[in-house]
Every structure is written in C-alpha cells, then in structure tokens.
Amino acid sequence: GQVSRLNKIIDLSLFSQDFFGKLYYSDKKNFNYLYKIYIDNVSKILKKVGININTAPVLDVRRKNSHKIIGNRSFSANPNIVSKLGNLCIELYKKNKIGTVIKHIPGHGLSKCDSHFNLPIVENSKKELINKDFKPFKICSSFFAMTAHVIYKKIDSKFVATQSRKILKEIIRKRIKFNGLIISDDISMKALKNSISINTKKAFIAGCNLVLHCNGKLSEMKEVARNSPTVSKFIIKKTSQFNDII
C-alpha cells in the first residue's frame, strides 16, 4: 500500500491490504486467485533484488478513528478477517521462501496519530485490546514480529510498547505467546523522544531481539551499532530454524 521501500522499482500503492480485504469480502474465489498472483510476483521481485524477508503483513485491526497511516494498510475492521488473511499472506510468502514480519505488535489500529511524527497514546481497556486488537497477533504465526511505537495507557502508562518490558514480556511473550524474534519499529521515528543511542538501549533492555533503523543516516546507524549487543555464534546457532523458510 502507501508504505513501500521499493517504490522506485515498482508501484504497489493500488494493492493495499484494504484492497485485498475488500476483494475477499466481495469475491472470495477471485481473491484467492489474485492474491496468490500478487504475492508470487512480489516474491520474484524481492528475490531478484536479493531480499528474503518482507515486513508484512500488517495485522493492525482498522478502527473507526484509525489514523490514515494505518488506514488502507489494514485488511479489515474485523479481527477475524485480519487473522485469516494474515495467515494466508504468511503461508504464501513461506511457499516462496520469503520470511514475514507481523506488525505492529501488539496492535496499532487504535492510534490517532502517525508514530513517524508523534507519539500515539491508546486509552482503551486491556480487555478490549486483548479481545480485538491483540487477537490477530495471537492467531497468526510468523518467525518475526515488529513492535508498535504506541503507549497502551491501561497496561504501561510510561513506555511505548517497543521499550516496555511489561508489554514485551507479559503481553507479547506470555499473553499473545509470540516466541519468535521481536524487531523494533524504526528507532529513528519521532514517537521516541530520546537520542538514538538511548532508544536503542531501551529497546534491547525491554526485550527486543533486533533494532530497526530506516532513515539511512550513517551517523545514526553507527550509534545503533555501538549500542547493540554482539551477535554471538551461539545466538546464530539458536536461530538456525529460520533456514526452514529461506
């Protein structure tokens, strides 16, 4: 949809998750046929470029007042449809030997601002979040998950999910039961108010396994590297199961 890192190579702006969500709702037979063609072709492009992981699908449940940054990137306002199409997306990429990253865990749909520029604060109850927004992440199985730069006030009123030990441990690991690698959303986004080095450290301390940096500024990339733990041979060996899908 509207967010693509390869938009200079191919224009996929028309084929948002909302586009396919509406197609599924109106014509399931054609949806299954066309969605497979879409993912097969995206996979071919990724392989030609040399990429074996795609940061998709977005499993955020669209809400009435969802900010447009989520908007058409969501499959649906129905968590069951989001879960069903999310699992299909993961499976189709897996068949193409492309890894997937479910995002933005535990759920970004209730945010009323764009975390690229501002800090979203969600005040809905924990019960509501578990029953709706967190649901697709519990149902869909992927090796990677990307965190939300969102404060869930009823769970942790101080830290965004990316830097919240409570959310990463109690919600993502224990409640959602995600046991793969947790990747932070872009550590240079404006929702995070501290320096790159502090934001990097906080993400790792909270429980992120990897930190993502996207804006291409070399000085910031060096800061992320300096404040990241060393990847040991032991860790590489422990994650060798990823070879199953690549």
Side-chain angles (χ1 to χ4, degrees):
Q2 61 184 303
V3 177
S4 170
R5 301 291 174 179
L6 298 180
N7 55 18
K8 298 279 177 72
I9 297 173
I10 183 170
D11 180 10
L12 298 174
S13 58
L14 172 64
F15 302 110
S16 64
Q17 290 192 178
D18 177 56
F19 172 88
F20 286 110
K22 288 175 178 174
L23 183 61
Y24 171 80
Y25 188 78
S26 62
D27 189 347
K28 289 183 176 61
K29 184 178 179 180
N30 267 329
F31 161 80
N32 287 314
Y33 173 70
L34 293 173
Y35 196 47
K36 184 179 184 302
I37 290 174
Y38 168 76
I39 289 186
D40 286 350
N41 279 282
V42 170
S43 298
K44 286 179 184 177
I45 293 166
L46 293 175
K47 287 177 182 178
K48 284 184 178 180
V49 176
I51 295 171
N52 57 15
I53 301 172
N54 191 12
T55 53
V58 173
L59 297 183
D60 302 318
V61 179
R62 188 166 58 248
R63 297 299 203 103
K64 185 178 180 180
N65 295 317
S66 289
H67 190 274
K68 63 182 180 180
I69 194 60
I70 299 301
N72 69 4
R73 297 169 72 197
S74 171
F75 282 118
S76 174
N78 183 329
N80 294 320
I81 292 177
V82 172
S83 302
K84 185 178 180 67
L85 301 193
N87 266 328
L88 178 61
C89 175
I90 292 164
E91 186 60 30
L92 289 172
Y93 274 119
K94 187 175 181 180
K95 287 179 179 178
N96 280 284
K97 300 187 182 299
I98 300 290
T100 51
V101 184
I102 53 176
K103 61 185 186 182
H104 306 81
I105 201 168
H108 209 304
L110 281 166
S111 62
K112 294 181 175 63
C113 63
D114 182 353
S115 56
H116 289 88
F117 304 106
N118 297 287
L119 173 60
I121 298 175
V122 170
E123 300 192 12
N124 300 59
S125 71
K126 183 178 178 180
K127 183 179 179 180
E128 180 186 355
L129 290 165
I130 289 169
N131 290 337
K132 191 160 190 174
D133 297 83
F134 299 174
K135 186 177 180 180
F137 295 95
K138 187 175 179 66
I139 293 173
C140 295
S141 178
S142 178
F143 191 82
F144 298 102
M146 183 188 293
T147 61
H149 290 336
V150 175
I151 284 182
Y152 302 90
K153 206 166 183 181
K154 295 294 193 295
I155 303 172
D156 186 336
S157 62
K158 186 176 181 181
F159 295 106
V160 297
T162 302
Q163 298 175 339
S164 169
R165 190 172 185 83
K166 188 171 185 179
I167 289 176
L168 266 62
K169 300 295 183 184
E170 294 182 16
I171 300 297
I172 295 175
R173 291 301 192 192
K174 292 182 181 179
R175 171 76 66 170
I176 293 175
K177 298 187 185 304
F178 178 77
N179 59 9
L181 294 181
I182 297 176
I183 307 174
S184 77
D185 202 348
D186 180 6
I187 211 72
S188 68
M189 287 162 64
K190 302 304 180 186
L192 305 179
K193 303 304 181 186
N194 294 300
S195 66
I196 291 292
S197 59
I198 291 174
N199 285 332
T200 300
K201 287 178 181 177
K202 282 187 172 184
F204 281 119
I205 290 168
C208 286
N209 303 111
L210 299 170
V211 163
L212 178 69
H213 182 274
C214 296
N215 68 22
K217 293 180 181 178
L218 185 59
S219 60
E220 291 186 8
M221 294 163 71
K222 288 179 179 178
E223 281 299 301
V224 173
R226 274 193 288 266
N227 290 281
S228 299
T230 302
V231 179
S232 69
K233 292 180 181 179
F234 174 74
I235 294 173
I236 293 170
K237 186 176 180 181
K238 286 274 284 185
T239 58
S240 62
Q241 59 181 297
F242 184 50
N243 292 332
D244 292 342
I245 62 170
I246 62 171

